[in-house]
């Protein structure tokens, strides 16, 4: 785990798939930490949320990564990325 001044570095990733083997869907990942391994730098996903049950099944079946279905909405309005929601839904603004 990479830390800076005692703080673990993390973040979020918001993706919109127009086409995929399971059709279009939205994906939101809470990145728990930046990690290093074998000289490479990457991010450790803490939670993966997708907008369709088909995408959730593909995450498990194809990638062996647990995912959860959640209502996701991405809105173009806003000057920076902002996330709002609860355990069942999330809205991401500043998408455009």
């Amino acid at each position: 785990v990479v830390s800076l001044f005692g703080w673990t570095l993390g973040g979020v990733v918001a993706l919109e798939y127009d086409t995929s083997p399971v059709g279009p869907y939205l994906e939101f990942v809470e990145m728990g930490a930046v990690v290093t391994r074998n000289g490479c730098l990457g991010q450790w996903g803490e939670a993966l949320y997708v907008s369709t049950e088909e995408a959730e099944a593909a995450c498990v079946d194809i990638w062996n990564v647990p995912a959860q279905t959640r209502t996701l909405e991405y809105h173009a309005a806003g000057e920076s990325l902002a996330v709002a929601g609860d355990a069942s839904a999330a809205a991401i603004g500043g998408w455009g």
Side-chain angles (χ1 to χ4, degrees):
V1 174
V2 177
S3 63
L4 183 64
F5 305 113
W7 292 86
T8 300
L9 306 178
V12 298
V13 176
L15 302 164
E16 180 176 16
Y17 294 97
D18 295 326
T19 60
S20 80
V22 296
Y25 69 96
L26 303 176
E27 180 176 296
F28 184 80
V29 187
E30 295 175 358
M31 305 308 278
V34 175
V35 295
T36 60
R37 183 170 180 168
N38 298 331
C40 297
L41 188 65
Q43 291 186 307
W44 186 265
E46 183 174 316
L48 170 61
Y49 303 102
V50 293
S51 60
T52 69
E53 291 180 4
E54 294 82 5
E56 178 183 14
C59 288
V60 174
D61 296 341
I62 296 171
W63 304 109
N64 199 27
V65 174
Q68 301 173 45
T69 303
R70 179 182 276 187
T71 300
L72 297 171
E73 298 177 6
Y74 293 0
H75 304 282
E79 294 184 19
S80 62
L81 188 66
V83 180
D86 57 27
S88 64
I92 294 87
W95 186 252

